[in-house]
Amino acid sequence: MGKGTDKLYITHSEWASEDAYSASAGSGVSGKSKVTGASFKRLPFNFCAVSLQPFEHAVCATDGTIFDISNILPWLKKHGTNPVTGLPLKSSELIKLSFAKNDEGEMVDPVTYKVFTDNTHIVALKKTGNVFAYGTVERLNIKAKMWRDLVSDEEFGRADIITLQDPQNVAARDLSSFQYLKDGISTLTEEQEMERNDPSKNVNLDAMGSSAKVLKAKEAVAKARKERSDPNYNPALPTTKALSLSKSANGSKPSGGSTMHSGRTVPYNAAQHTTGKAAASFTSTGLTPHTSGERALLTDEEYMLKPKRVKNKGYARIQTNLGDLNVELQTEYAPKAVWNFVQLAKKGYYRDVAFHRNIRNFMIQGGDPTGTGKGGTSIWGKNFADEFDGPLTHDSRGMLSMANKGKNTNSSQFFITYRPASHLDRKHTIFGGLVGGLDTLSNLENAPTDSDTSRPTPDILIRDIIVFVDPFSEFQKEKNEKEGKERELLEIKKAGGTEDERTTWTGKRIRADGKVENVDAAVGVGKYLKTNGGVDADGEDEVLGEWEEEVPPTKKIKTGGGFGNFDGW
């Protein structure tokens, strides 16, 4: 029974020991675990090193330790040291961190939009506080020797890179190495200590029955004495409780609450910013006053052109004088480029436009109505930004990408690759790829060209671009169908629900006002219940007391044997 012994019981020390092996190694006997690293506990990257809870307003020290500003400031005021290392630390040395987040609220790299995990190498820039994945900084800053912040474009040096989390150095976030945990120093503030030491705060009054009334009365008396001891106390003024009761009685809401979303459903196309009318009317007397910060509404186009919102794929055919090319459009990762291409094609912008550049074993470029390679405009009449958020790369033959003159200069020109071209990744927006017409692509590649200008001779013309599937129209159609079904369900719900929802298991129907009405007994399970009020199956009433009662049998009188009752004497 015993652990390592022949006794028939197990002691408390055997149960409480870390290794739970035998009575010779009870609780705390060994002083530390026999297994190296068994006590290792890793602090997640999004946790404050003081409270050991997820942070809300992150700051860090120069060594990369992350704190929540609301927890580290009281510690510095009391101790003036770094709670993890024990070294002196001032509040002026703290660096405010700026984490980028996606639509789901997850912390991501602001350039690649990769979600941070406990296995991501995370760094921050000392001058700006912006947080990146180390792979992004290494590839785009260190190797490229471009020492500017990728978000704010501010200059920085190699010494300004602070490592927040290194998966190869897990010991840096080992809880057992934190100095304040080794010393057993509490991180609670004075108010938190007083609240913890207060016995009334640690008792569940709701579970104490009548005794709770006594404790609540004592607490009320102590609170009243504390208010009277305040030099600013005035008995003529109403207390906070009285004010709250009067407000609730009058049906008024407490002030200070946000009126941005009070009692209103947020529209599907609500923006992350407000209309600005409240601020404008506050600073200008010529505008109508607005007291609520209403969220601005996006147009259907602005709503659909958010990355990863429209996931429907589009399909189009590029008709040339050498054959047809069928392309698939990646709306999920490059919505602006796909919208621009589809709308220009529908408009007939590419009709009879020549490919002005054709380089064998590289790519063919077109989309400029002037045929010079220097013209072309987007559907918005101006250049639009690059879209590099997705996983698409120039890794195969037939990739469809936007041509540009530099960063964020996309217009109407596009090109199709003849081979993988990884050096074009993150320089040109990929918005589609070839899914049919490889023989036509070979004909285009083998067409003769001018040796000086790389222009096809004779010209290769785009007869037209036909859009078979418009992903944005499909998205709008699906959204409208979904909204129609939701409105239908809402109307049914207002009408009292469907027939199955309005009928109980006994066959009774529930009316819109909540009352139950009887229906035909042949409906549902109710058909097995008699609701005829005492009438049998033949339609005759049952009459009680009109049948002959059964006479109980008489007891047999015993005769003979014994002396009887002496009547014969």
Side-chain angles (χ1 to χ4, degrees):
M1 181 69 180
K3 298 182 180 180
T5 66
D6 57 353
K7 60 182 183 295
L8 301 179
Y9 59 89
I10 298 175
T11 64
H12 168 71
S13 60
E14 291 177 6
W15 278 117
S17 61
E18 288 187 0
D19 52 9
Y21 180 71
S22 68
S24 61
S27 177
V29 171
S30 61
K32 61 180 181 178
S33 176
K34 292 180 173 63
V35 182
T36 305
S39 62
F40 173 80
K41 292 182 179 179
R42 181 181 180 182
L43 182 69
F45 76 93
N46 60 334
F47 275 50
C48 171
V50 176
S51 65
L52 307 183
Q53 297 294 325
F55 55 71
E56 294 183 2
H57 307 286
V59 294
C60 77
T62 53
D63 63 347
T65 307
I66 305 178
F67 308 100
D68 193 303
I69 189 68
S70 60
N71 297 319
I72 189 60
L73 288 182
W75 173 275
L76 294 178
K77 186 177 179 181
K78 185 176 181 180
H79 301 280
T81 60
N82 188 323
V84 175
T85 61
L87 300 176
L89 180 64
K90 298 179 181 179
S91 58
S92 59
E93 298 175 0
L94 297 176
I95 302 167
K96 183 180 178 181
L97 299 179
S98 177
F99 282 90
K101 294 185 178 181
N102 58 15
D103 294 339
E104 288 76 22
E106 299 171 319
M107 298 179 186
V108 297
D109 181 276
V111 177
T112 63
Y113 279 84
K114 291 184 178 179
V115 179
F116 290 154
T117 65
D118 290 334
N119 299 316
T120 306
H121 192 169
I122 306 173
V123 297
L125 301 185
K126 184 176 181 180
K127 290 188 176 181
T128 61
N130 292 324
V131 181
F132 302 90
Y134 178 73
T136 302
V137 175
E138 181 185 28
R139 183 171 65 255
L140 300 180
N141 291 119
I142 299 176
K143 290 185 178 180
K145 296 182 180 179
M146 197 276 293
W147 298 101
R148 285 187 174 275
D149 191 306
L150 298 172
V151 174
S152 63
D153 203 36
E154 186 175 340
E155 290 188 3
F156 69 94
R158 187 183 290 268
D160 295 327
I161 301 176
I162 301 173
T163 300
L164 303 181
Q165 175 179 262
D166 185 1
Q168 303 298 327
N169 183 22
V170 293
R173 302 185 67 81
D174 183 8
L175 290 174
S176 61
S177 64
F178 285 13
Q179 189 64 39
Y180 77 97
L181 293 178
K182 290 180 180 179
D183 299 339
I185 302 175
S186 174
T187 60
L188 300 177
T189 61
E190 294 182 1
E191 293 80 5
Q192 291 172 335
E193 288 285 358
M194 292 176 61
E195 184 175 353
R196 173 171 288 188
N197 296 329
D198 188 358
S200 62
K201 301 293 183 181
N202 301 322
V203 176
N204 185 5
L205 298 179
D206 297 332
M208 294 190 63
S210 59
S211 302
K213 297 180 180 179
V214 179
L215 294 177
K216 288 181 179 178
K218 286 184 176 180
E219 186 178 352
V221 171
K223 186 177 180 180
R225 288 176 178 174
K226 184 178 179 180
E227 289 181 351
R228 286 196 295 270
S229 64
D230 188 359
N232 298 323
Y233 173 71
N234 187 352
L237 296 176
T239 60
T240 306
K241 184 177 180 180
L243 286 174
S244 62
L245 288 174
S246 64
K247 286 182 179 179
S248 61
N250 296 331
S252 61
K253 296 180 181 179
S255 61
S258 174
T259 59
M260 185 179 296
H261 309 294
S262 57
R264 298 181 183 178
T265 56
V266 180
Y268 74 93
N269 58 341
Q272 297 297 325
H273 56 275
T274 64
T275 58
K277 292 181 179 179
S281 63
F282 179 75
T283 56
S284 175
T285 57
L287 298 176
T288 305
H290 289 267
T291 58
S292 62
E294 298 177 357
R295 293 171 66 172
L297 297 181
L298 302 175
T299 63
D300 287 341
E301 179 181 335
E302 293 171 337
Y303 175 75
M304 291 189 295
L305 294 188
K306 293 291 183 182
K308 299 183 180 180
R309 179 159 287 163
V310 179
K311 299 186 179 181
N312 306 60
K313 293 184 179 180
Y315 294 92
R317 173 175 293 170
I318 303 175
Q319 297 177 339
T320 71
N321 54 348
L322 297 183
D324 296 340
L325 301 170
N326 296 330
V327 293
E328 181 182 63
L329 306 177
Q330 301 290 342
T331 320
E332 182 177 0
Y333 305 113
K336 292 181 181 178
V338 173
W339 174 275
N340 177 68
F341 182 80
V342 169
Q343 298 305 320
L344 289 178
K346 285 184 173 182
K347 185 181 174 183
Y349 188 84
Y350 295 118
R351 192 170 296 137
D352 295 328
V353 173
F355 287 100
H356 60 271
R357 193 178 178 205
N358 187 15
I359 302 176
R360 183 174 298 179
N361 201 31
F362 182 28
M363 61 87 203
I364 183 169
Q365 181 176 340
D368 177 14
T370 65
T372 61
K374 300 179 181 179
T377 57
S378 69
I379 192 65
W380 300 284
K382 59 181 180 180
N383 295 336
F384 62 94
D386 298 321
E387 296 171 292
F388 299 145
D389 297 340
L392 302 177
T393 56
H394 297 85
D395 57 354
S396 63
R397 177 181 174 90
M399 298 305 296
L400 180 63
S401 300
M402 293 299 299
N404 57 44
K405 303 173 185 177
K407 185 178 180 181
N408 299 329
T409 58
N410 300 290
S411 57
S412 64
Q413 296 188 36
F414 60 89
F415 65 89
I416 304 173
T417 61
Y418 290 141
R419 66 172 181 85
S422 58
H423 64 284
L424 300 180
D425 293 343
R426 305 199 64 79
K427 293 181 181 178
H428 295 270
T429 300
I430 304 172
F431 66 96
L434 207 66
V435 293
L438 290 176
D439 52 344
T440 303
L441 189 64
S442 300
N443 295 336
L444 297 176
E445 184 177 10
N446 296 325
T449 59
D450 187 287
S451 59
D452 295 330
T453 61
S454 298
R455 186 182 183 90
T457 54
D459 286 344
I460 301 176
L461 297 178
I462 301 175
R463 298 295 187 196
D464 199 3
I465 296 181
I466 301 174
V467 179
F468 292 124
V469 178
D470 184 349
F472 301 100
S473 299
E474 292 292 320
F475 176 79
Q476 286 280 28
K477 183 180 177 181
E478 292 175 3
K479 186 172 72 67
N480 292 336
E481 289 178 356
K482 183 178 178 182
E483 290 177 352
K485 290 181 180 178
E486 290 177 353
R487 285 194 298 267
E488 226 175 283
L489 292 175
L490 186 62
E491 292 296 330
I492 293 174
K493 190 175 181 181
K494 287 181 179 179
T498 61
E499 186 67 28
D500 292 339
E501 293 171 344
R502 291 197 299 264
T503 306
T504 65
W505 70 274
T506 59
K508 296 181 178 180
R509 181 178 298 165
I510 302 175
R511 297 191 305 193
D513 57 359
K515 295 182 179 180
V516 179
E517 64 180 16
N518 292 326
V519 294
D520 188 6
V523 179
V525 184
K527 65 184 180 180
Y528 299 109
L529 302 179
K530 291 184 178 180
T531 57
N532 50 15
V535 180
D536 61 6
D538 297 332
E540 298 179 357
D541 292 344
E542 295 179 357
V543 182
L544 303 179
E546 292 188 0
W547 62 84
E548 296 182 359
E549 294 184 0
E550 186 178 352
V551 180
T554 57
K555 292 183 179 180
K556 187 176 180 180
I557 300 175
K558 294 182 179 181
T559 57
F563 292 100
N565 56 3
F566 300 100
D567 289 340
W569 289 75

